[in-house]
Structures are given as C-alpha cells and as structure tokens.
Amino acid sequence: MENTVIAAEVDPLKRAEDGGEVPSSAELKKKTCNGVLGFAKLTHWRTAVFFLSIFLCLAIVFAFSFIIPCPVRPQYLISWNRTFPEAASYDFLATEDTNRDKVNDILFVLRSSKGSQNNTCTGAGLPSPCVFFIAVDGTDGNALWECPLDPEFHWAQCGLEEDANRNWGCLVAHSDKLSAIDKYTGEVRWQQQQPPGLHGTAPVLSVPDLDRDKVKDLALVASDNTQTQLVFLSGKTGVLIGSKVVLNSTETANHLLHHSTTGSQYVLLQTETGLYGLALYKIAAKAKPGTEVNLKMDKQWEKNASPTSGLIPIYESDSLRRVLRVGPGEGTPNLLLVTGKEVALLNGKTLQSLWKINSSSVLREPSFGHFNKDGILDVVVEEDKGDYEKRVVILDGKSGGVLWEVLFLATPNSPIPASIHTTNYFSIFVFWGKKDFNATSVPGISDRHIYMLHPLYSKVLLESPRSLDHILTFKATLLERGRHAAYILLTGPVTQEAQGTVVLSKRKLKQDVPNSDVRNVGDGAETNDVIKEAFNRLRFSD
C-alpha cells in the first residue's frame, strides 16, 4: 500500500489509470492564469520600487547640489591696513577666531579718545583718553567690536586653556581692575578689582576648578623687591578664592605652570638664583584648605623639596634670564633656559639636561621652528657680536648643534625672529636686520629689512622691502587652518603717552616675493627665479 501511494505522488498519470482524479483542462488553465497574473503584479511592484529609488536618489543629489548651499570660503584681501589717528598702542597682539568664520581675527589695544566704531570715552563714562580693546576681521581689517575700558593698560592675555564652560576668552589688566572679555562679542563678562596690594603680571595661569563651580579657575602671580605672591580667582566670576599665598621671599622675574609625568601641576619661578618649582597642591591648601582635593603632588619631585619653603630646585644659576616651554605638542614640554653663560634644554619629564651650549651674549628671547625634518623644534638665537652686529643662529633641537648661522646689522626696533610651518615638515623663518652692511656708523630704522629663509635653499635669503615706521609688535601666523600665511604689523608712537598715528596692517607672506631681492649667505648655485618659485610653491600647515 505504501508503495502505491508513493508511485501515485511521483506519477499522477498513473493515478488516473488506477482510477484517481485527473484535473480538467479548465482547472489547469485557471491555475496557470493565476500564476501569470501574480507574477505580473510582482513585476509591477518591483518596477515601481526601482523607479521610486531612482527618484529619491535624484532628489537627494538635487538638494545637496542646489538647495543646500555649499560652504563659502572667506574672501581675503591680500593686504590691508587700518589707520587710527591721534592714538597710541602697546606691545600686544593676539589672533583668535572672534566671528566664527574659521579665520583668525586680530585683537589689539588702542589708547585714544575715540574708537574705530565712533564710540567715545566720554560716551562710555570713562576719562579721556581711555583704553579700547578691539577685534578686527582677519580677512579685510574691518572692525568687529571694541570694548572701552578704564585707563591705564597694563597687560592682556588671550588663548587661555580651553574650557567649554568659560564664557570669556581674554583677560585684560587695566587701571586697578581685571576684566574678562567675551572674544565673540566684546562684552565684559566680569570685572573685579585687583586684590589689595597685589598687581598681578602675565602670564595668568589656568588651573583646575578649585571652587567647584564647573569652570576652571585662575592663578595670578605678583612680585616686588621683597616677595612673590599668588592668588586664586574664580574663572566664572573673578572673585578671590581664599587668601594670598607667599611663594618666595625674593623677587620673581617670570613664572609658568608645568605638568609632571604623573599629572601633578607645579608653578615654576624664575628667580635671581635659578629656577624653582612649588606644587600647586601645597599652594591651594594654604590659600583655602579643602580646595586641593582634586590636585596631587609628584613623589619624585618632592624628594628634592626644601623642608622649610617647599621649593624644588630645578636649575640653579645666578644669571638666569629666560625660561621657555618648548612645544606645544602632546605630553610634557621641555624647558629652554637662557643664562648669562649658556643656553640649555631640559627634559620636561625628568628635568635632566638634554644639551647645553656656551653663549654669553644672547640678545633676546629665542624663538622656534623646524629647520630640518626630524619633527623636533629647533631653536633660533640672536647673539650680540659687538660693533652693531648680531649673529643669528639656528640650533638643532635634538643636539644643540649649529644648523645655520648668519651675521646681520643689528638695526634698532627689530622684532624677534619668527617662523611658519609648511606641509613639507620644515618652517619658513623670518628675520629683521640688514645682511649687506658696513658697520662703521650707527644703524637706523632705514637700515631695517625683513628676510625670509627657506631651509632647502639655506645659502640665500629673500630680502623684502623695508618698513620705516616704529614697530610696536609683529606676528607671523596662519590666519586659517593650514592656509593663508601672513604677517601682522602694528606700528605707532614710541611711547604710549605720545599721540600719533597707529597703523595695523596685514600682508600675505608670499605677496612680496616677486619684488624681493635674493641675497647670498653662502655658495648657492640656484638662480633668482628658482628661489622665488620655491617660495611661491610653498603650502603651509599648523
């Protein structure tokens, strides 16, 4: 029986022969038609979905191409200048994106009776002349905002450590006040009297949130002939946190905040006997007990701390002139020290000497750049050679060896060297002075030129037209991330008390290349056209 069923399933015709039911032709036709109709309906649905998908794709492409506008790149003026008559200015210049167009703008300070936007000191209820803290657009030099403040101006600092909860970007010390200014609007977010008997100096130190209001706080250091003191201020309101703390019983020439490898923070003090460190943990505990809970000390550093003062000797010298952090970058920066006898680089993690060179005549603060492609910042030093001559030397940041050097006429009122990084992993260096000279007479401002050095063509310098105005400050920078290398020049009266013409100008770095002269500093075989083309091909990087 089982075999019969199986056979019937396999061969239906056989079922008919055995007397089983056979489907009629009408039934077979009906089933076939239903199958065809079902397949036709499915095909129509597939076609509809296909065309709908194409329509959606075209709609999206159309929206992104025509309806949603593409980002508009800022339109630059190759050069611009802003003139402020009957005014004076100061050695302060900062670059920040103040209008959120991804282009750095220029911040500076003006001393005048009237600002650039028809604001007056008397209209603001201030004595005249007063201080105007001004932001101008980096693309065209037009004023973005200005903030009138009480005179006199002491110092300003922008670019403090980023804090998303901090609603201001620049701190200005003027008269007996501290004003926190919103870099986007120019509004004063808070203003406080400086602590009695303490006039702090830059730099302001950004420290962790000590008063637990979710905003990083500030440390202000002040020094006189008898002692060095520190106070903590709320980053949110500027209110004093705790009391003043005496750091040292002697005068301090400079200070900075340093992080050890364990994350501990130390205030470094440059004194007449050397460089010393003091744990921020200890300072906070003295200012207001309990505020140090989020801080810590480095056990390795504390092994060398003085049992009485808590100071940690880092570099002892009776002629320490400058201390600079060699960075920026990830991790702990190294420390460059300039004394009356030598230039030394210390490892920021171990505080051990990496290299040291003899130099007893360093003129000013060194600067940094990449002469070679080893990824380590090299050091630019100016040395006094006497008879109105100076030697500019680039030291290898890894070994301290001399990579490049040249003699310049030491012209007066010349800014320190500067550099801008390129996509080729080296920097373009900018110097002031005069290359071809006769040092028999006293140099003047008319002898001052600006030079650019291309490390791949280090036997020549590109000499640009000279500036005859009194330079207050100079900055070579990128106005936009990875592009538009320019230099900013602020000129004006020699003293702030004098009224004269203040000029703020921007020039694109490559703008003067066609009209520049090529000066030999060695045996170079390249033609002038080759050198200028090399500068024109440059692309810049942060």
Side-chain angles (χ1 to χ4, degrees), residues 2 7 13 62-63 97 114 154-155 212 294 313 366 371 413 452:
E2 183 180 352
L13 295 178
F62 178 80
D97 181 11
K114 183 175 67 173
H154 303 305
W155 52 263
R212 299 173 187 154
N294 294 325
F371 186 84
N413 187 228
M452 289 193 292

Side-chain angles (χ1 to χ4, degrees), residues 371 403-405 453-461 521-522 526:
F371 186 84
L403 297 173
W404 183 87
E405 62 178 310
L453 168 66
H454 193 308
L456 298 186
Y457 300 90
S458 58
K459 300 298 183 182
V460 296
L461 290 170
V521 294
E526 293 82 4

Side-chain angles (χ1 to χ4, degrees), residues 19-173:
E21 294 182 3
V22 178
S24 65
S25 60
E27 290 177 340
L28 288 174
K29 184 176 181 181
K30 182 178 180 181
K31 289 181 180 179
T32 303
C33 289
N34 288 338
V36 170
L37 289 173
F39 180 76
K41 290 181 180 179
L42 183 61
T43 303
H44 291 156
W45 276 110
R46 286 178 177 175
T47 303
V49 170
F50 172 74
F51 281 107
L52 180 62
S53 300
I54 292 179
F55 175 77
L56 289 175
C57 291
L58 291 175
I60 293 172
V61 171
F62 178 80
F64 276 98
S65 300
F66 301 101
I67 299 175
I68 301 176
C70 295
V72 178
R73 282 192 43 77
Q75 298 299 310
Y76 291 92
L77 294 179
I78 294 177
S79 65
W80 53 256
N81 65 75
R82 292 294 310 278
T83 301
F84 305 89
E86 298 180 3
S89 191
Y90 305 85
D91 183 9
F92 170 77
L93 196 66
T95 54
E96 297 277 345
D97 181 11
T98 63
N99 58 357
R100 294 186 172 95
D101 64 351
K102 298 182 180 180
V103 178
N104 279 337
D105 306 302
I106 319 300
L107 298 108
F108 70 107
V109 179
L110 194 70
R111 184 179 186 269
S112 179
S113 299
K114 183 175 67 173
S116 61
Q117 296 179 320
N118 295 324
N119 295 317
T120 63
C121 300
T122 54
L126 301 173
S128 182
C130 61
V131 171
F132 288 91
F133 195 71
I134 302 175
V136 301
D137 198 320
T139 62
D140 55 19
N142 289 330
L144 297 172
W145 53 256
E146 59 187 19
C147 177
L149 299 169
D150 286 293
E152 293 290 328
F153 173 78
H154 303 305
W155 52 263
Q157 184 175 338
C158 300
L160 285 166
E161 184 179 341
E162 289 294 330
D163 183 356
N165 296 322
R166 188 182 285 159
N167 63 355
W168 53 272
C170 296
L171 193 66
V172 183

